[in-house]
Amino acid sequence: QAKILKRGRATLFSEDLSARARERIHMLTDLRAAFSAERLFLAYQPQVDLPSGKVLGAEALLRWKTEDGRSIPPDQFIPLAEQSGLTVPIGEWVLRTACHQLKRLTEGGHANFRMAINVSHTQFREPSFVPALGWALQDCRVDPSQLELELTESVAIGHIESTSAKIQEIRNMGITVAMDDFGTGYSSLSVLKQLNVDRLKVDRSFVMEIGEDGDATGIAELVIALGRQLRLVTIAEGVESEEQRRQLLKMGCHEGQGYLFGRPMPAKEFEAWMAAQG
Ligand code: C2E
Ligand code: MG
Ligand code: MG
Ligand code: MG
């Protein structure tokens, strides 16, 4: 009996595995096709100054529009791109596209607008990464301070010294660097100090529970206090309610990003939204 059960399970398990493997291969083929057919696009989400509500910039967020019109979120396909060598070409496309949009916005009257892009650790480690930043900036002739890179704590794992040196090199070019999703990774406070970034993004999971859960309110508050202590600009992600905005402001948070201010929008929609801000 036990043997049959076991064999049954083993069969189920392997069928399940191969179905998943097939699914992955399909998805990978689709992703390659999407990349070449330009079905990847960027959505732009505003980042605002909390006290005044003024729009300071935007974060570029990658989207994949499938042929049947569905939109696949980046969390689902970035790991796939990572395993298949597509990270670097997609990352370079994101950089060029976001810089081009930054140029359009700047020329359209939004001087000093800041564009933040997400950089994966593979892309960051690539020797061609820093030169690519230089070319992208030269190409769109915006001020380097208008470009921001969002890195997660994972870039530093096992590479604290080289990461810190590369961040310094990037900041010397005039580009700013933000630590994304702070508090969700494994790194310690000393890593944050060593990495020497400009801006600290308070993860949405801590912001989400402000006003609901005592502990999470405490964590958001601690992260903001830590950022201020290290003289970093703090920005809270995932701000959805007026109550959260109010509390964050009270905690001394500088900037905010979230549905309360604006959803991620495709380029044309974002330009119209910006124009309506006056
Ligand atoms: P992230 O960098 O932390 O981006 C913030 C995520 O929170 C975005 O999800 C955004 O749509 C979502 N968000 C913003 N405000 C709110 C809110 O008020 N409520 C809720 N519920 N969600 C909000 P998205 O666009 O699905 O991106 C997920 C993650 O994928 C990003 O997290 C980032 O780590 C990664 N990602 C996005 N674009 C790129 C890219 O071009 N390259 C790389 N390497 N990673 C990317
Ligand atoms: Mg980000
Ligand atoms: Mg984030
Ligand atoms: Mg996040």
Side-chain angles (χ1 to χ4, degrees):
Q1 179 76 30
K3 204 172 172 187
I4 294 169
L5 259 180
K6 216 165 157 190
R7 196 185 292 150
R9 256 189 223 146
T11 314
L12 260 180
F13 185 60
S14 66
E15 268 173 10
D16 192 41
L17 253 189
S18 64
R20 245 187 294 160
R22 268 201 306 276
E23 167 75 11
R24 250 201 81 223
I25 291 164
H26 273 302
M27 214 172 140
L28 185 54
T29 312
D30 288 352
L31 180 58
R32 284 219 170 86
F35 185 43
S36 53
E38 292 167 40
R39 268 185 281 113
L40 293 183
F41 68 98
L42 294 179
Y44 302 91
Q45 186 178 35
Q47 299 184 330
V48 309
D49 178 54
L50 273 185
S52 67
K54 189 178 181 301
V55 181
L56 300 175
E59 177 177 6
L61 294 157
L62 190 57
R63 296 288 179 266
W64 172 9
K65 181 78 94 197
T66 60
E67 253 164 319
D68 54 8
R70 284 176 307 133
S71 195
I72 302 182
D75 292 331
Q76 277 179 36
F77 68 88
I78 283 166
L80 188 69
E82 200 76 46
Q83 291 160 26
S84 59
L86 279 172
T87 315
V88 172
I90 291 178
E92 286 185 359
W93 176 84
V94 169
L95 173 65
R96 283 198 312 274
T97 308
C99 282
H100 171 78
Q101 190 58 39
L102 177 56
K103 181 189 181 187
R104 276 185 61 95
L105 288 160
T106 306
E107 287 176 349
H110 306 287
N112 303 320
F113 189 89
R114 183 181 74 216
M115 182 68 78
I117 64 169
N118 293 281
V119 176
S120 76
H121 58 95
T122 317
Q123 190 186 1
F124 183 82
R125 297 248 82 79
E126 198 63 28
S128 64
F129 180 61
V130 174
L133 290 174
W135 295 325
L137 284 173
Q138 234 174 39
D139 237 34
C140 66
R141 289 185 300 274
V142 290
D143 195 272
S145 66
Q146 290 180 265
L147 180 64
E148 179 155 283
L149 307 183
E150 296 194 359
L151 306 175
T152 58
E153 295 159 89
S154 69
V155 293
I157 294 173
H159 307 273
I160 183 77
E161 244 136 63
S162 61
T163 303
S164 152
K166 207 164 200 172
I167 288 176
Q168 201 49 58
E169 191 183 349
I170 290 165
R171 292 185 69 205
N172 288 344
M173 294 168 76
I175 297 168
T176 63
V177 178
M179 182 59 68
D180 204 353
D181 301 336
F182 186 74
T184 60
Y186 295 99
S187 57
S188 65
L189 301 182
S190 70
V191 169
L192 178 66
K193 196 166 172 217
Q194 258 174 290
L195 288 186
N196 209 10
V197 297
D198 300 275
R199 196 182 306 274
L200 189 57
K201 297 196 81 175
V202 184
D203 190 64
R204 183 165 70 86
S205 59
F206 307 131
V207 174
M208 213 161 66
E209 281 153 41
I210 289 177
E212 284 178 16
D213 174 303
D215 281 349
T217 305
I219 292 174
E221 197 164 11
L222 275 173
V223 173
I224 291 160
L226 172 72
R228 295 190 72 101
Q229 184 66 36
L230 295 174
R231 292 197 173 73
L232 305 176
V233 176
T234 51
I235 173 164
E237 58 179 32
V239 183
E240 293 186 357
S241 71
E242 184 48 42
E243 173 62 10
Q244 289 167 343
R245 191 193 72 87
R246 213 178 52 78
Q247 295 264 5
L248 285 161
L249 199 55
K250 220 169 74 185
M251 294 173 189
C253 189
H254 301 103
E255 300 178 13
Q257 177 182 348
Y259 297 167
L260 178 68
F261 310 110
R263 298 226 168 210
M265 294 166 261
K268 287 282 156 301
E269 196 184 319
F270 183 74
E271 284 178 13
W273 186 89
M274 279 301 293
Q277 298 302 299

